[in-house]
Amino acid sequence: MKQLRNDTIAAGPRHSVGLKMDGMVRAVGDNKYGQCNVSDWYDIVSVAAGNVHMAANTGNAHTVGLTTDGIVVATGWNRHGQCNTGHWRDIAAVAAGWCRTIGVQADGSVVAVGRNNEGECDVSDWYDMVAVTAGDWHTIGLKSDGTVAAVGNNQYRQCSIMDWCDMMAVSAGYLHTIGLKLNGTVTAAGWNKYDQCNVSDWSDVTAVAAGSYHTVGLNADGTVVAVGSNKHNQCNVNGWHDIKAIAAGCAHTLGLKSDGTILAAGNNDYGQCNVIESIK
C-alpha cells in the first residue's frame, strides 16, 4: 500500500514547523528548548513535531526532520533522549510524540527512542509498517495491508483499534486515535469528552490530523472540517479552501495551500500561528 504523505507541515504544542520546497525548514513559536532551531537543516523530506496536551509543561517539545538519505535530525527538549536519533539509518518515515521519536525503517521495521513508561516505545517487533503516529502516551503503526498496531496507554481505549482494516492513514492525539479508511471515511477510538471522536459522518476525506482535544480532516475538494474543543478557535477552518496538507497541534491547526502558503487557526500565545510570512 502506498502511504499518502502529509508531513510537509507539523504542529507542536506551542510551535509550528514548515518544510520548504528546497528542503530547508522554518519554525515559529515557543523556542524555550530550541525546538525551533531548524534554520541550518537541509535536504529534509519530512518534518514532525512532538505534541502534548494543554498543561503547565506543554512547551516541552522537540522537532524532528527526515533527510533525503534516510537520516533523522532532531532538536529541542531531550530530557528522555527523544532527540538521540543520530545513529538511525535507512529511515523512511518519522513521528514525534510526547518525549519520544518513532522511525519506520526502509524494511518496514520500527525504531523508537525516548520515554517508555507506558510501553509507548515497545515497537521492536513491528514489521511491514508504512507509517507511524505518536500521541502523548500511545503509538500507532499502519501496516502495508491497511491494518494497524498499537502500544502504550489504553486507559480510554485509544489503543483498542486492532479490528481496524483498510486504513490509509492514522493520527494519534492526546487520548484518542483517528483512522482514515481507503474509501474516504473516518473512524475514531478513545476519549471523546469534547466530541473529538465524532467523525463517523465524514466522507471523501484524504488526510486526518489529531490534536489534543480536536480532530481535523482534509476533504478531497481542498476544504477542511474539524470537530472537538474549539476553546481557542482551533476548529474555525470552515472557510479554508485549496488546502493540500493539514496539521493539528495542542490547540492550533495548520493548513498548507497549493500555492505554498500556510493558514493557521487557534491558540497563538507564542506566535505559533504567525506562519504566513515566516514559513512560506
Side-chain angles (χ1 to χ4, degrees):
M1 182 185 71
K2 183 179 180 181
Q3 169 65 11
L4 286 181
R5 300 191 69 88
N6 188 40
D7 43 19
T8 51
I9 53 175
R14 294 173 175 171
H15 74 296
S16 298
V17 185
L19 173 60
K20 300 186 69 177
M21 292 186 65
D22 62 3
M24 302 293 286
V25 181
R26 297 286 180 86
V28 294
D30 182 30
N31 196 34
K32 181 178 180 181
Y33 292 92
Q35 60 264 46
C36 291
N37 294 347
V38 297
S39 59
D40 61 343
W41 290 3
Y42 61 93
D43 290 338
I44 303 297
V45 295
S46 173
V47 291
N51 204 358
V52 61
H53 63 287
M54 185 70 76
N57 60 0
T58 298
N60 300 6
H62 69 296
T63 303
V64 179
L66 174 63
T67 70
T68 55
D69 56 4
I71 294 173
V72 177
V73 291
T75 185
W77 193 48
N78 196 34
R79 179 178 177 181
H80 299 271
Q82 58 264 43
C83 292
N84 297 344
T85 60
H87 61 289
W88 288 1
R89 295 294 182 272
D90 298 321
I91 302 297
V94 290
W98 169 237
C99 306
R100 70 191 184 284
T101 303
I102 312 294
V104 179
Q105 299 189 106
D107 63 1
S109 59
V110 182
V111 291
V113 291
R115 181 187 186 274
N116 196 34
N117 296 31
E118 310 284 338
E120 60 267 49
C121 287
D122 292 343
V123 297
S124 60
D125 61 344
W126 285 7
Y127 63 93
D128 204 24
M129 293 291 171
V130 294
V132 288
T133 178
D136 261 34
W137 301 308
H138 71 297
T139 302
I140 308 296
L142 175 64
K143 300 188 71 172
S144 63
D145 63 0
T147 60
V148 294
V151 292
N153 184 292
N154 196 34
Q155 181 179 358
Y156 293 93
R157 300 185 62 79
Q158 62 266 41
C159 289
S160 299
I161 60 175
M162 304 310 293
D163 59 337
W164 286 8
C165 59
D166 298 325
M167 293 290 156
M168 65 185 297
V170 287
S171 183
Y174 169 33
L175 295 171
H176 72 296
T177 304
I178 303 297
L180 172 61
K181 303 196 73 172
L182 289 167
N183 64 5
T185 61
V186 182
T187 189
W191 197 44
N192 197 33
K193 179 178 180 179
Y194 298 98
D195 297 330
Q196 60 265 47
C197 291
N198 292 357
V199 295
S200 61
D201 60 339
W202 288 5
S203 61
D204 207 23
V205 174
T206 61
V208 289
S212 291
Y213 306 115
H214 73 298
T215 302
V216 185
L218 174 61
N219 292 319
D221 63 1
T223 59
V224 181
V225 290
V227 293
S229 172
N230 198 33
K231 181 179 179 180
H232 299 275
N233 298 317
Q234 62 264 48
C235 290
N236 291 355
V237 296
N238 290 338
W240 291 7
H241 60 88
D242 200 27
I243 302 297
K244 67 176 186 178
I246 53 174
C250 174
H252 73 293
T253 303
L254 302 178
L256 174 65
K257 300 191 70 173
S258 60
D259 65 1
T261 58
I262 297 178
L263 301 180
N267 187 289
N268 195 33
D269 287 349
Y270 293 83
Q272 62 265 48
C273 288
N274 297 341
V275 295
I276 294 178
E277 295 298 330
S278 298
I279 295 180
K280 77 173 184 178

